[in-house]
């Protein structure tokens, strides 16, 4: 009976995580895109749900929630499913999506998708050669063999995310990195943008009037043919007519300038909003967190470097040491060993979540800028 109750709790939590991942994908990641790939949404939501479920099982293991046999059973199921998604489903669909966008390979996209997936599996398997993760006790496609390689890739990605978060978090939340933006700067840039747009409109009007004049005079139907005729039409123009090629080049240059001015204006508005946000209570709170996590990350990097250089083994982390100093100074009864593990776990979780969140937001901005420039 307890196993059924534990299973119902896990299934309910997975459904809730799936719905939250679906809403996050729709409302946050791809809210500005009209193209919807429902397979991508399902894969993202399922991966998000099983990842959160495994994180939930870790918390249940620490707190002693649910039966141990139920936790082990659901841990094995979640591990098998997420390995199936990460190693087989996601790489295959990425290859299928890449091949589908190539017109020459569109008719045989399933075959070439399989070839891309086999290529991925070859390099994925060869990844384990430099590391001592091969064991003759386990099969080729056993959980131990797969999770060891996924662990190598995951640790590498987490190291990159930690480096990105260590730089992006202070830059995002600390008011020290905000540049001073005034209304005068924004008005001056908007004035330049409006002047550029007026110049584009005036030049396009000249082009339209010149085409109309050429059409009325019959010059459109009597264009010279051949290579030398094309060169002559570009380099020379009739008396009183406009050089349309030169004007079109000027319009293209002005449109590129207007695009850059628009992006700079949007960046100034975003910076101004960050300045106004930093003056609020919530902004000051996040500014303090930015300083705190910056000092925490710098201290961890410094101590890790010292331990590597002098071949030391770190026994006490900064959180435990800080709690011990505080408890000894105040002279209160406090279980340092128990609470330091939970506080360290929460801090590491916050750093991981903010790093992934910052990376996703930055990637969304990059894709949005690419979309605007197109």
């Amino acid at each position: 009976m307890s196993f059924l109750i534990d299973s119902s709790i896990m299934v309910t939590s997975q459904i809730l995580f799936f719905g939250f991942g679906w809403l996050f994908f729709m409302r946050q990641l791809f809210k500005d895109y009209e193209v919807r790939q429902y397979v991508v949404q399902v894969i993202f939501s399922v991966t998000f749900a099983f990842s959160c479920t495994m994180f939930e099982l870790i918390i249940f293991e620490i707190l002693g929630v649910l039966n141990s046999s139920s936790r082990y059973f659901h841990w094995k199921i979640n591990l098998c499913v997420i390995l199936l998604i990460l190693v087989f489903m996601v790489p295959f669909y990425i290859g299928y999506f890449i091949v589908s966008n190539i017109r020459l390979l569109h008719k045989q996209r399933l075959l070439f998708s399989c070839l891309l997936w086999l290529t991925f599996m070859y390099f994925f398997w060869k990844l384990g050669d430099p590391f001592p993760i091969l064991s003759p006790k386990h099969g080729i496609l056993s959980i131990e063999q797969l999770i060891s390689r996924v662990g190598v890739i995951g640790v590498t990605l987490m190291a990159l995310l930690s480096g990105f978060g260590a730089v992006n978090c202070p830059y995002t939340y600390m008011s020290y990195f905000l540049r001073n933006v005034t209304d005068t700067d924004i008005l001056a840039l908007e004035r330049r943008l409006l002047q550029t747009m007026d110049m584009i409109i005036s030049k396009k009007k000249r082009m339209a009037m010149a085409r109309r004049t050429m059409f009325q005079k019959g010059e459109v139907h009597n264009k010279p043919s051949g290579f030398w005729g094309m060169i002559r039409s570009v380099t020379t123009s009739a008396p009183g007519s406009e050089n349309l090629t030169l004007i079109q080049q000027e319009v293209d240059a002005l449109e590129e300038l207007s695009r850059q001015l628009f992006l700079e204006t949007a960046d100034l508005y975003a910076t101004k909003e960050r300045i106004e946000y930093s003056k609020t209570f919530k902004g000051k709170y996040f500014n303090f967190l930015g300083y705190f996590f910056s000092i925490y990350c710098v201290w961890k990097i410094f101590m890790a470097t010292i331990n590597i250089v002098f071949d030391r083994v770190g026994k006490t982390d900064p959180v435990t040491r800080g709690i011990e100093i505080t408890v000894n100074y105040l002279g209160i009864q406090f279980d340092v060993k128990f609470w330091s593990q939970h506080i360290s776990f929460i801090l590491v979780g916050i750093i991981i979540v903010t790093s992934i969140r910052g990376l996703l937001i930055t990637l969304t901005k990059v894709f949005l800028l690419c979309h605007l420039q197109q």
Side-chain angles (χ1 to χ4, degrees):
M1 187 67 182
S2 61
F3 178 78
L4 294 177
I5 296 175
D6 296 344
S7 299
S8 63
I9 292 173
M10 297 305 301
V11 171
T12 304
S13 63
Q14 286 179 348
I15 294 173
L16 293 176
F17 289 142
F18 180 86
F20 182 77
W22 186 278
L23 291 176
F24 178 74
F25 186 93
M26 294 289 292
R27 301 290 180 86
Q28 187 66 31
L29 291 181
F30 281 82
K31 62 180 179 179
D32 297 324
Y33 292 88
E34 297 180 355
V35 180
R36 302 296 182 188
Q37 294 286 340
Y38 289 103
V39 179
V40 177
Q41 294 174 228
V42 171
I43 292 176
F44 176 84
S45 302
V46 170
T47 307
F48 183 84
F50 279 95
S51 300
C52 292
T53 305
M54 295 186 70
F55 186 70
E56 182 185 29
L57 287 172
I58 294 174
I59 297 176
F60 286 171
E61 181 71 24
I62 296 174
L63 299 179
V65 181
L66 304 183
N67 194 0
S68 60
S69 60
S70 300
R71 290 198 304 264
Y72 180 75
F73 174 77
H74 289 286
W75 178 265
K76 292 280 288 187
I77 291 180
N78 281 268
L79 195 60
C80 293
V81 173
I82 202 166
L83 284 175
L84 178 67
I85 294 172
L86 293 178
V87 179
F88 298 96
M89 188 177 296
V90 173
F92 177 78
Y93 187 73
I94 290 175
Y96 182 82
F97 185 75
I98 293 173
V99 173
S100 299
N101 291 325
I102 302 175
R103 295 182 178 179
L104 297 176
L105 308 178
H106 189 73
K107 294 182 179 180
Q108 298 178 345
R109 56 182 180 272
L110 186 61
L111 175 62
F112 285 100
S113 301
C114 294
L115 292 177
L116 282 178
W117 180 78
L118 291 175
T119 304
F120 164 78
M121 285 300 298
Y122 173 77
F123 287 105
F124 177 77
W125 191 258
K126 294 296 289 184
L127 181 68
D129 292 344
F131 301 97
I133 56 179
L134 296 176
S135 176
K137 299 180 181 180
H138 307 292
I140 296 177
L141 295 179
S142 62
I143 295 178
E144 290 78 7
Q145 296 283 6
L146 294 177
I147 200 171
S148 59
R149 288 162 174 79
V150 172
V152 171
I153 299 175
V155 170
T156 305
L157 290 178
M158 289 309 303
L160 295 175
L161 286 175
S162 299
F164 176 81
V167 176
N168 183 68
C169 183
Y171 179 77
T172 303
Y173 295 111
M174 293 173 61
S175 58
Y176 176 79
F177 294 99
L178 294 177
R179 58 172 177 169
N180 188 19
V181 177
T182 60
D183 295 332
T184 306
D185 300 332
I186 298 176
L187 290 175
L189 199 58
E190 287 180 343
R191 194 177 297 112
R192 287 183 58 193
L193 179 60
L194 292 176
Q195 291 175 356
T196 305
M197 297 300 293
D198 291 337
M199 293 175 64
I200 293 172
I201 293 173
S202 64
K203 289 185 179 296
K204 286 188 176 182
K205 285 182 179 180
R206 287 174 56 188
M207 291 177 63
M209 292 177 63
R211 287 196 179 97
R212 181 182 178 184
T213 303
M214 292 171 63
F215 181 78
Q216 290 176 353
K217 293 180 179 180
E219 296 178 4
V220 176
H221 301 286
N222 298 325
K223 286 185 177 180
S225 59
F227 178 76
W228 293 108
M230 184 179 61
I231 297 296
R232 188 182 306 169
S233 63
V234 173
T235 56
T236 62
S237 59
S241 62
E242 299 284 354
N243 192 338
L244 297 180
T245 305
L246 182 60
I247 298 176
Q248 183 62 46
Q249 292 177 356
E250 295 177 356
V251 169
D252 294 339
L254 289 173
E255 287 180 346
E256 181 64 27
L257 177 61
S258 65
R259 202 175 293 115
Q260 297 298 327
L261 290 175
F262 175 78
L263 294 177
E264 290 180 9
T265 305
D267 184 61
L268 288 183
Y269 271 109
T271 305
K272 185 181 177 182
E273 290 179 358
R274 287 178 59 191
I275 292 174
E276 294 176 353
Y277 176 77
S278 64
K279 296 178 182 178
T280 61
F281 176 78
K282 188 177 180 180
K284 293 179 181 179
Y285 169 72
F286 279 106
N287 184 37
F288 169 76
L289 287 182
Y291 280 103
F292 173 76
F293 281 109
S294 298
I295 296 173
Y296 181 77
C297 291
V298 170
W299 175 257
K300 293 284 286 184
I301 293 172
F302 175 74
M303 292 305 299
T305 305
I306 294 296
N307 293 334
I308 292 173
V309 172
F310 294 99
D311 196 14
R312 292 170 46 187
V313 178
K315 297 181 179 179
T316 305
D317 61 301
V319 175
T320 305
R321 185 59 179 168
I323 294 176
E324 289 179 352
I325 294 174
T326 305
V327 169
N328 293 330
Y329 180 77
L330 298 177
I332 59 177
Q333 296 294 328
F334 191 77
D335 192 353
V336 178
K337 185 177 180 180
F338 175 79
W339 287 105
S340 62
Q341 293 179 355
H342 291 75
I343 295 174
S344 299
F345 183 74
I346 292 172
L347 287 177
V348 172
I350 291 173
I351 293 174
I352 292 174
V353 171
T354 53
S355 299
I356 297 175
R357 176 180 176 272
L359 179 64
L360 291 176
I361 292 174
T362 305
L363 289 177
T364 305
K365 290 180 180 179
V366 170
F367 291 141
L368 183 60
L369 289 176
C370 294
H371 179 70
L372 289 174
Q373 288 181 355
Q374 291 178 356

